[in-house]
Amino acid sequence: MSVIFILISASLLIALGFLIAFIWSVKTNQYEDDYTPSVRILFENDVKQPEEEQHLKK
Amino acid sequence: MELQKFQYDNKTVKWFAYATMFWGIVGMLAGLLAALQLCIPALNMELPYTTFGRVRPIHTNAVIFAFVGNGIFMGVYYSLQRLLKARMFSDFLSKVHFFGWQLIIVLAAISLALGKTTGKEYAELEWPIDILITIVWVVFGWNMFGTIIRRRERHLYVAIWFYIATFVTIAMLHIVNSIEIPVSFWKSYSWYAGVQDALVQWWYGHNAVAFFLTTPYLGLMYYFLPKAANRPVYSYRLSIIHFWSLIFIYIWAGPHHLLYTSVPDWAQSLGVVFSIMLIAPSWGGMINGLLTLRGAWDKVREDVVLKFLVVAVTAYGMATFEGPMLSLKSVSAIAHYTDWIVAHVHVGALGWNGFMTFGILYWLIPKLFRVDLYSKKLANMHFWIGTLGIVLYAVPMYWSGIMQSLMWKEFTPEGQLKWQFMDTVTKMIPFYATRAIGGTLYLTGALFMVYNLIKTIKIGSFLANENAEAPALEKVYSTHGKEHWHRWIERKPVQMMIVSLVVVAIGGIIEFVPTFLVKSNIPTIASVKPYTPLELHGRDIYVREGCYTCHSQMIRPFRSETARYGEYSKAGEFVYDHPFQWGSKRTGPDLARLGGKYPDSWHYNHMLDPTSMSPGSIMPSYPWLFDDQIDVSSTVAKIKAMKRLGVPYPENYENIAAADMEKQAKLIAANLNKDGISILPDREVVALIAYLQRLGTDIKNETKKDTLK
Amino acid sequence: MIKEPESLLLCYHCGEPCDTETIHIAEKNFCCQGCKTVYEILNKVELCDYYTLEKNPGLSQKTQIRADKFAFLDDDILQTKLIHYKDATQSHVSFYLPQMHCSSCIWLLEHLGKLDEHIIRSQVNFLKKEVSVVFNHQDTSLRKVTELLTTIGYEPHFSLNNLTDKKTKTYDKSRIYKIGITGFCFGNIMLLSFPEYFSLGNMEEKGLQQLFSYLILLLSLPVFFYGASGFFISAWKSLQQKTLNIDAPIAIAILITFGRSLYEILSQTGAGYLDSMTGIVFFMLIGRFFQDKTYNTMAFNRDYTSYFPLGVTLLDEGGKEKQIPVSNLKTGQRIKVHSGEIIPADCILFLGKGTIDYSFVSGEALPIEKHIGEIIYAGGKQTGGALELEVVKDVSQSYLTQLWNNDAFIKKEDKSESYIHSVSKYFTFVLFSIAAASAIYWYVNDALRIWNAVTSVLIVACPCALLLSATFTNGNMLRILQKYGFYARNAGVIEQISEADTIVFDKTGTITQQGDSAIIFKGMPLDAETIQLIRSLTGQSSHPLSKAIVQSLPFCKLLPVKNYEEVAGLGIKGIVLGQEILMGSPEFILGRKISTDNGSRVYLKINNQLPGYYSVQTNYRQGLPDLLKKLQQQYKIALLSGDNDSEQLKLKELFNSDLLFNQSPQDKLNYIKALQSKGKKVIMTGDGLNDAGALKQSNVGIAVTDNINNFSPACDVIMDGNGFSYFDALLDYCKQNKLIINISFVISIAYNLIGLYFAVQGQLKPVIAAILMPISSISIVLFTTGMSSLLSFKLKHRVSKLPQNSKN
C-alpha cells in the first residue's frame, strides 16, 4: 500500500498548511472580534452610481 | 489619506452567472437522457456518442464542473470583492479564468462524447485537459490571493477561508489523482495500478465531493444566507470553529468508498471513523445556517430566495447525516453498488448544490441588473416543482436501491440464489421511470428560472463596474515590538503558504511515486500475468465505452456475491490494472470473474444485441465495434507505457507485441467461426472479447494448478 | 386635552415621545434640538442609511454637552496615555462607547471618515463596545474626534482609569494556539495509529508501520512540550508549595505516558500511547478554555479611578476657566464643578450651593445640602447649579479613595483553591498505592512485568476526567448563569457561593432600585390640568426629586414655563399658563422645617394655595420580602446601610436580623471581617463605591447594577438588578455544582478502574487506552454539561413565573 505514503504526505502537507494559516490568523488578531464582522458584511455599498455609467445591458 | 475609490467588477460575475444557467440546463439534459436510457434502451440510438457509458460521464462532469463550478466562481467573484472591499486582482486573469474554464468544459464534453476518458470517475478527462484545468485553477488562485493581498478589510470573513480551503485542496487532489503517463495525445494510463489506483481515486473522489461540492458552497452559504435574510449569521464564532474542525477532518474520509474491497482493513476503518466524526462539523454548519433564520420564518414564507436556501441547507444536513451512515460497514454492505448511492448523491446535488445555486441566482441577478425579479410567482412555482422533483427522484431510488440489494442477497431454502440478476434489473425499470419523471420536473423548474431571469435581465439595466469606496488598510503595528514580523506575515501570508505547499507537494510526489509504485507493483500472486496486447486493446475499449458506469469488477467477500460471481477479488489480481475498473454501481452484473463463463460467440451476439442473449437486458448494443478496426498503431506505445509503469513484459516485447496480438485475434476469430460467425480478426469486438474472456481467470488457473498437484 | 394621540409622535432619531417642542423637518419629527442636529449632520454627508438599517437607532440628545467639556484632551501627557500608537502622521486610539447598541451604530461609527475626512479609518468591536479610530493628527485632534463622536450621540466614556491600565485587554492567544496545535497533532496521530488498531500489529508492510510510529512521535512533541506545558508548570508550582493540586497526577501521567511511548517506539517494542496522551491533553485544554469565560464589556476589578472623571475645570487666579486632567489636580487649586458632574477630590465649598447626591458613594438616598465653607467629600455628584471649590486633598488621598489603601485590596486575587484540588490529593494518594501494590505483586510473581504494570497504572489512572468534570460543569454553569444576568468572575466563584452561609445586603441601590421611589400625593385630589402644570414645572428641573415626580405623573404635553427659577437645595418655581407654581422643601414653601419619619416631602403651592405635598419614599426591589423569607431559611442575613435610619421601621419588618445604619465604607469592611473571623463564609451584595471594601473583603462580592455596562465596584459577580427577585434560585443553582462534579467524579473513577483492570495485569493494549480515553472524556463532557443544563430548568421555571421578566 505504498501509495498511502503519497496520500498521507499530501494530506499531512495540506493539514500542516492550514495549521500555519490557523496560527497566522490568530496571531494577526483575525478572531479578536468574533461578532462584528458578521454584521459588517450586511452593509451594502452606499456610493452613488453615476448614471452616465455604461448601461451595457448584458 | 481619505477614502479610496474603486469599482467592483460585476461583468465577470455576470458571465459566470450566465454560464451557470447554460451549463446547468445542458448537464441536467444529459442526466435526463441517461436516466431515460435506463428504462428505454432504444434511446442509446446505437451511436457511440449517445450510449449510456459516454452520456453518464458527460452528465456528471457537466453538472459538477460546469454547473456547480461556474456557480462557485459566480458566488466567489461576487462575494470576495465585497468581503475584501477590493476589485478582483486582475481583470485579465478574471477573463482568462472565465474563458479558460468554459474551454475546458467544451473540450470535456467533446472528448467524453468521443470516448476519450481515463476511466476514473469524476476524473475522466484526459491528460491535456487535466493540464489545462491545473493552469486555469492556478489562475483562479492567483486572482483570489492577489485580491486578498490587496484587500481593504483586514478581517477575512469565514466564507473566504472556505474559498481558500477549496482552492488549495482541489489543487492538490487534482494533481495527485491525475498523475498518468501519456500514450498518445488523447490516451494515457493512470500511474497507479489496481488497489492503489482505487485508493487514490476514492481519496480524490470523496474529497472532490468534500471540497468542490461542499466547502465552497458552505462559504457561499455563510455569505448569501445572511445577505438574503439581512441578519447576521446565528453564531459567527461557531462558523469559525465549523471551518477549522471541518478542514482538519474532511481530508481523511476518502477510503469509506472502498469498504469490503481489497483495500486493507485499517484504511477502510480509517475512512469510517473519520466519516462518522464528520457529522459534528457538518451539522454545526447546518444548524448555524438554519438558526440564522430563527425568528424570521415569516420572511422565509415571503422570500423565495430564502426558501431555496433553507431547503438547500436542510438537504445538506440530510446528506451529511446519511453519508457517515452509509460509511458504516454494515450499511455499506447493502447500499454499495445500488441506486441508494445515486439517491444519496442526488439529495446533495439537487438539494444542496442545485437549490443553493438557484437561490443565489434569484438574489444576484436582480441585484446586478438593479431591478426586481420579473416574476415572484414563477420563482415560487420553480421552488415547488423543484422540490417535488427531488422527492420523486430520491424516494424511488432509495426504494429500488434497497430492494435490489435485498434481492441480490436472497437465498432459497435450498441455499440457491433466489433471483437471476436479470430479474433484479427488470424490477428496477418502473423506478427508473419515476426517477426520470422527477428529473424532468427538476429540469422544468430550472427552465422556468432561466426564462424568469432572462426576462429580469431584459427589463433591468446592468452595471458593469459598481462604484465603491473604502479606506486603505492602515499599516499594522504591534504593541509588543514584533513589528517587522507582523508586517511580513501580513503582506504575504497566504500565497506564501500556497506556493510552498504546491512546491513541496509536487516535489514530494515526483520523489515518492517512482520509488514506491514500482516496488509495490511486484505481483503478490504468481499466476497473475500482464495483459496480452489484444486484451490491453480490449481493456482500453472497455474503458472507452464506459462499461465501468454499469459494471463493477470487484466481488466482495459475501456469500451472496461469491455464489453469484465466484471467488471474491484479491488485491493481487489488479496489479496490472492501469486504471482500476472496480466501478461503483451495478446496473449490470459484476464482471470480475466473467472470463470463460460464456463462449466467445455469446459475447459477440451480446455486444451486437444484448437482448438476444439475455432477454430484458437494458444494455445498449455496440454495433460500431464490429466495423471499427483495432488501433494497431498505438500498440507499441501502449506496451512501452505499461513497461514504464513497471508491468513486467519481456525485454523488447513491444517489438513482437503486434505479432502476438494478431495470433490471439486470429484464434478468437477462428473460435467464433466454429459457431458460424465470420468476423475479421482486426475488429475491435475481437479485442473486447479477448479482454472479457481474460477477466478474473488468472486466479482460476492457480486453483487449477493446485488441484493438479 | 391630555394625551391627545398626535402628542405621542416618536422622535425619528431616538424614538422617544416628542414632549415639549416637536421639531419637524422633511416630514420627520424630532424630540429635541440635539436629535435634530445629529440628523442634519448625517443628512448632509448622506449617511442616512443610519436610519434605514434600524428604526430610530439614535439616543436622546436632550442633555446638551458643554462646548469645552473635552478641552482637557489637548493635554499632551494625557494624549500619550490614551493614544496607543502614533507615528509622523497617524494616531491610533480606541474609545469606549457605552451607547453603542445596534447595527446602525456599527455602520455609522465605521463611516466616521465621511464626517471628518481626517479620520483615516474607524473600526468597531461591538461586543467590547469599542471603536478604534485612526486619524491624521496633523489635521485633526483627539479632542476634535471625541467631540465629533459626542455630537453624533456617542459620547466616549473616559475615566481616570484610562490613564492607569495600558489598554492591553486582549484575549490569551497562547491558549488558542495550544488548542489548535494539539488538536492538529491529536487528529493526525489518531489517523496514523489506525493501522496499529485494526491490523493489530501484523501489518503487511513493516516499513509503513515504522514510518507511522516515527511520524506519531514527531507529532507528539509539540503536544508534550508546548500543549501540555501548562500542566507541568502548575504541577511544579504546587509541589513547591508542598501541596498536590490536580495537575500533579496529570503531569505525572503525561510524563510517564510520553516516556514509555518514547521507549517503545525507539526500541520498536510497541506503538506507545501517544494517541491517548495527545487526546487527553487536547480535551483538557478544551475544558480549561471552556471554563475561563470572559465577558467583553465587564471588568471585575474596577477601583474608584474608573468612576472618577478624567477632566476637570480649573480656575486660575484671574478666574479664567481651563480644562485639565484630574490627575494633575493639586491641593489648594480652585476648581469649578458643573451640574451633574462628580466631585473629583475632597474640597471646601467656596461659591454656590451644594446639593450633592451621595447615593452611589455613601448610600444616602436623597441629596445632601452643602453650604459655603463646608467640606465636600469626593465622589458625590452635584445636582444643583455650578460650584466653585477649593481642593483640600489629593484625589488619591481623599476620604473615599483611602478605602483602597486597605489591605483587603492588597491581598491576592484567588480567594481559595478549587475543591477538586483537595479531592485530587486523595486521588493521587490512592493512585500511588495502587501502583505500589501492583509493583509488589509483580515483583513477587514476574519481576519482568513491574515496569510495564506500574507505568500502565499511572497512565490509565490519569485524573483528566476529574479535571474535565470540573471545568465543563463550571464552564457551562457560568454560561447558564450569564443568561440570567448573573456574571461570575470565574468558576471558583461558583464553588465559593456553594459554601457561603451568610449574606450581607447594602441598602441603597441594592435592595432599593436606584432612583425609583414611591410617590404619593397627600392632600386635595388634583385634576388633570393641575397635573399638567406640575409636570411642566418639574420637567424643567434635573433634581432627583423633580425627576422622580415627573416619572410618577401620567404622560402629557409639557407647557412652556415662564421665569422658571431653581433655588438650589430648596425648590423650584415658575409661571405656567399664567399661574405661579412653587414646589420644594417645607422651609421653601412653608418657611419652617418639618421632621419626617421616613422619606422626604415636596410641598406644592399654586397661586398661594397649598393643595398638599408629595411624599417620596424609596422603593424596595420587587419580590424583596419573600426573597428574604426564603433566604433567611438557609442563610444568616444582615443589612448595612450608609443611609440614615429613616426607614428602620419599614426594614425591621423585612429583616429579622442585624440592621446597621450610617455605616462608613470602613465600617462595612470591618463588619465583614468580624463575621469571617467567626468562621462565616460571607456573600456581600452591594452596588456603590462605599461597598467596595466590603465586596472585596467578603468571600463572594456581588455587585448589583441596573445596567451591566455601568460602573460597578470591584467584585466577584456582577448581577443584573432584575436578577434580584430570583436571587435565591441563582444561589441554589450554584450549590448544585458540587453534586454534579461528585457524580461525574464517580463516573470517571469507574473508567479508571476498567483501565486499571488491564493495567495491573500489565497488558494494557494501546487500542484499549485509545478507546477508553475518548469515551470517558466525551461521556464526562456530555454528562456534566447535560446535567448542569438540566438542573437549570428549575431556575428557568422560576424566572418564567415572574410577572415581568426582561430576561432572554
Side-chain angles (χ1 to χ4, degrees), chain C residues 152-166:
Chain C
I152 58 169
Y154 298 93
E155 181 186 350
H157 171 82
F158 291 113
S159 71
L160 262 183
N161 133 309
N162 290 57
L163 304 182
T164 54
D165 69 41
K166 272 268 150 292

PDB file of all heavy atoms in Angstrom, chain C residues 152-166:
ATOM      1  N   ILE C 152     -22.588  63.332  17.435  1.00  0.00           N
ATOM      2  CA  ILE C 152     -23.491  62.370  16.787  1.00  0.00           C
ATOM      3  C   ILE C 152     -24.072  61.401  17.809  1.00  0.00           C
ATOM      4  O   ILE C 152     -24.659  60.377  17.453  1.00  0.00           O
ATOM      5  CB  ILE C 152     -22.790  61.592  15.649  1.00  0.00           C
ATOM      6  CG1 ILE C 152     -21.572  60.842  16.176  1.00  0.00           C
ATOM      7  CG2 ILE C 152     -22.412  62.521  14.523  1.00  0.00           C
ATOM      8  CD1 ILE C 152     -21.005  59.868  15.171  1.00  0.00           C
ATOM      9  N   GLY C 153     -23.896  61.716  19.086  1.00  0.00           N
ATOM     10  CA  GLY C 153     -24.632  60.982  20.101  1.00  0.00           C
ATOM     11  C   GLY C 153     -23.874  59.856  20.758  1.00  0.00           C
ATOM     12  O   GLY C 153     -24.430  59.067  21.497  1.00  0.00           O
ATOM     13  N   TYR C 154     -22.577  59.757  20.478  1.00  0.00           N
ATOM     14  CA  TYR C 154     -21.788  58.703  21.124  1.00  0.00           C
ATOM     15  C   TYR C 154     -20.675  59.347  21.946  1.00  0.00           C
ATOM     16  O   TYR C 154     -19.547  59.451  21.497  1.00  0.00           O
ATOM     17  CB  TYR C 154     -21.190  57.763  20.072  1.00  0.00           C
ATOM     18  CG  TYR C 154     -22.236  57.055  19.265  1.00  0.00           C
ATOM     19  CD1 TYR C 154     -22.683  57.577  18.067  1.00  0.00           C
ATOM     20  CD2 TYR C 154     -22.786  55.864  19.719  1.00  0.00           C
ATOM     21  CE1 TYR C 154     -23.652  56.935  17.322  1.00  0.00           C
ATOM     22  CE2 TYR C 154     -23.756  55.212  18.985  1.00  0.00           C
ATOM     23  CZ  TYR C 154     -24.188  55.750  17.790  1.00  0.00           C
ATOM     24  OH  TYR C 154     -25.151  55.105  17.065  1.00  0.00           O
ATOM     25  N   GLU C 155     -21.048  59.818  23.135  1.00  0.00           N
ATOM     26  CA  GLU C 155     -20.035  60.476  23.962  1.00  0.00           C
ATOM     27  C   GLU C 155     -19.113  59.415  24.537  1.00  0.00           C
ATOM     28  O   GLU C 155     -19.556  58.545  25.284  1.00  0.00           O
ATOM     29  CB  GLU C 155     -20.693  61.260  25.091  1.00  0.00           C
ATOM     30  CG  GLU C 155     -19.673  61.976  25.959  1.00  0.00           C
ATOM     31  CD  GLU C 155     -20.316  62.643  27.184  1.00  0.00           C
ATOM     32  OE1 GLU C 155     -21.557  62.689  27.234  1.00  0.00           O
ATOM     33  OE2 GLU C 155     -19.558  63.060  28.065  1.00  0.00           O
ATOM     34  N   PRO C 156     -17.825  59.453  24.177  1.00  0.00           N
ATOM     35  CA  PRO C 156     -16.899  58.444  24.694  1.00  0.00           C
ATOM     36  C   PRO C 156     -16.837  58.493  26.212  1.00  0.00           C
ATOM     37  O   PRO C 156     -17.001  59.552  26.809  1.00  0.00           O
ATOM     38  CB  PRO C 156     -15.551  58.850  24.091  1.00  0.00           C
ATOM     39  CG  PRO C 156     -15.887  59.703  22.931  1.00  0.00           C
ATOM     40  CD  PRO C 156     -17.150  60.404  23.294  1.00  0.00           C
ATOM     41  N   HIS C 157     -16.633  57.337  26.813  1.00  0.00           N
ATOM     42  CA  HIS C 157     -16.535  57.280  28.268  1.00  0.00           C
ATOM     43  C   HIS C 157     -15.069  57.301  28.674  1.00  0.00           C
ATOM     44  O   HIS C 157     -14.316  56.395  28.359  1.00  0.00           O
ATOM     45  CB  HIS C 157     -17.207  56.009  28.787  1.00  0.00           C
ATOM     46  CG  HIS C 157     -16.975  55.773  30.246  1.00  0.00           C
ATOM     47  ND1 HIS C 157     -17.720  56.387  31.214  1.00  0.00           N
ATOM     48  CD2 HIS C 157     -16.062  55.018  30.895  1.00  0.00           C
ATOM     49  CE1 HIS C 157     -17.300  56.008  32.404  1.00  0.00           C
ATOM     50  NE2 HIS C 157     -16.286  55.176  32.240  1.00  0.00           N
ATOM     51  N   PHE C 158     -14.681  58.393  29.326  1.00  0.00           N
ATOM     52  CA  PHE C 158     -13.313  58.490  29.841  1.00  0.00           C
ATOM     53  C   PHE C 158     -13.361  58.422  31.351  1.00  0.00           C
ATOM     54  O   PHE C 158     -14.295  58.923  31.968  1.00  0.00           O
ATOM     55  CB  PHE C 158     -12.668  59.823  29.439  1.00  0.00           C
ATOM     56  CG  PHE C 158     -12.393  59.932  27.977  1.00  0.00           C
ATOM     57  CD1 PHE C 158     -13.082  60.840  27.198  1.00  0.00           C
ATOM     58  CD2 PHE C 158     -11.449  59.116  27.372  1.00  0.00           C
ATOM     59  CE1 PHE C 158     -12.826  60.939  25.849  1.00  0.00           C
ATOM     60  CE2 PHE C 158     -11.187  59.221  26.025  1.00  0.00           C
ATOM     61  CZ  PHE C 158     -11.884  60.129  25.259  1.00  0.00           C
ATOM     62  N   SER C 159     -12.358  57.824  31.931  1.00  0.00           N
ATOM     63  CA  SER C 159     -12.251  57.890  33.388  1.00  0.00           C
ATOM     64  C   SER C 159     -10.781  57.842  33.754  1.00  0.00           C
ATOM     65  O   SER C 159      -9.942  57.482  32.930  1.00  0.00           O
ATOM     66  CB  SER C 159     -12.979  56.718  34.033  1.00  0.00           C
ATOM     67  OG  SER C 159     -12.251  55.548  33.773  1.00  0.00           O
ATOM     68  N   LEU C 160     -10.529  58.167  35.002  1.00  0.00           N
ATOM     69  CA  LEU C 160      -9.136  58.176  35.477  1.00  0.00           C
ATOM     70  C   LEU C 160      -8.429  56.897  35.071  1.00  0.00           C
ATOM     71  O   LEU C 160      -7.266  56.871  34.744  1.00  0.00           O
ATOM     72  CB  LEU C 160      -9.119  58.306  37.006  1.00  0.00           C
ATOM     73  CG  LEU C 160      -8.900  59.704  37.547  1.00  0.00           C
ATOM     74  CD1 LEU C 160      -8.831  59.665  39.052  1.00  0.00           C
ATOM     75  CD2 LEU C 160      -7.632  60.282  36.955  1.00  0.00           C
ATOM     76  N   ASN C 161      -9.199  55.811  35.078  1.00  0.00           N
ATOM     77  CA  ASN C 161      -8.563  54.517  34.905  1.00  0.00           C
ATOM     78  C   ASN C 161      -8.031  54.334  33.488  1.00  0.00           C
ATOM     79  O   ASN C 161      -7.125  53.545  33.264  1.00  0.00           O
ATOM     80  CB  ASN C 161      -9.565  53.450  35.381  1.00  0.00           C
ATOM     81  CG  ASN C 161      -9.738  52.308  34.471  1.00  0.00           C
ATOM     82  OD1 ASN C 161      -9.979  52.495  33.289  1.00  0.00           O
ATOM     83  ND2 ASN C 161      -9.617  51.141  35.014  1.00  0.00           N
ATOM     84  N   ASN C 162      -8.530  55.133  32.530  1.00  0.00           N
ATOM     85  CA  ASN C 162      -7.912  55.108  31.191  1.00  0.00           C
ATOM     86  C   ASN C 162      -6.413  55.390  31.280  1.00  0.00           C
ATOM     87  O   ASN C 162      -5.633  54.951  30.453  1.00  0.00           O
ATOM     88  CB  ASN C 162      -8.541  56.182  30.305  1.00  0.00           C
ATOM     89  CG  ASN C 162      -9.965  55.836  29.943  1.00  0.00           C
ATOM     90  OD1 ASN C 162     -10.768  55.648  30.847  1.00  0.00           O
ATOM     91  ND2 ASN C 162     -10.263  55.725  28.667  1.00  0.00           N
ATOM     92  N   LEU C 163      -6.051  56.162  32.305  1.00  0.00           N
ATOM     93  CA  LEU C 163      -4.636  56.523  32.437  1.00  0.00           C
ATOM     94  C   LEU C 163      -3.855  55.385  33.076  1.00  0.00           C
ATOM     95  O   LEU C 163      -2.706  55.134  32.736  1.00  0.00           O
ATOM     96  CB  LEU C 163      -4.497  57.774  33.295  1.00  0.00           C
ATOM     97  CG  LEU C 163      -5.280  58.974  32.789  1.00  0.00           C
ATOM     98  CD1 LEU C 163      -5.029  60.173  33.671  1.00  0.00           C
ATOM     99  CD2 LEU C 163      -4.890  59.291  31.354  1.00  0.00           C
ATOM    100  N   THR C 164      -4.507  54.684  33.988  1.00  0.00           N
ATOM    101  CA  THR C 164      -3.750  53.667  34.738  1.00  0.00           C
ATOM    102  C   THR C 164      -3.417  52.471  33.851  1.00  0.00           C
ATOM    103  O   THR C 164      -2.258  52.225  33.544  1.00  0.00           O
ATOM    104  CB  THR C 164      -4.575  53.192  35.960  1.00  0.00           C
ATOM    105  OG1 THR C 164      -5.854  52.766  35.462  1.00  0.00           O
ATOM    106  CG2 THR C 164      -4.735  54.313  36.949  1.00  0.00           C
ATOM    107  N   ASP C 165      -4.434  51.728  33.388  1.00  0.00           N
ATOM    108  CA  ASP C 165      -4.068  50.487  32.680  1.00  0.00           C
ATOM    109  C   ASP C 165      -3.752  50.759  31.218  1.00  0.00           C
ATOM    110  O   ASP C 165      -4.198  51.720  30.610  1.00  0.00           O
ATOM    111  CB  ASP C 165      -5.145  49.404  32.827  1.00  0.00           C
ATOM    112  CG  ASP C 165      -6.412  49.768  32.081  1.00  0.00           C
ATOM    113  OD1 ASP C 165      -6.329  50.276  30.958  1.00  0.00           O
ATOM    114  OD2 ASP C 165      -7.495  49.534  32.644  1.00  0.00           O
ATOM    115  N   LYS C 166      -2.937  49.886  30.650  1.00  0.00           N
ATOM    116  CA  LYS C 166      -2.317  50.155  29.354  1.00  0.00           C
ATOM    117  C   LYS C 166      -3.116  49.588  28.187  1.00  0.00           C
ATOM    118  O   LYS C 166      -2.552  49.206  27.175  1.00  0.00           O
ATOM    119  CB  LYS C 166      -0.888  49.599  29.337  1.00  0.00           C
ATOM    120  CG  LYS C 166       0.125  50.598  29.860  1.00  0.00           C
ATOM    121  CD  LYS C 166       0.705  51.438  28.754  1.00  0.00           C
ATOM    122  CE  LYS C 166       1.091  52.803  29.215  1.00  0.00           C
ATOM    123  NZ  LYS C 166      -0.118  53.604  29.561  1.00  0.00           N
TER     124      LYS C 166
END
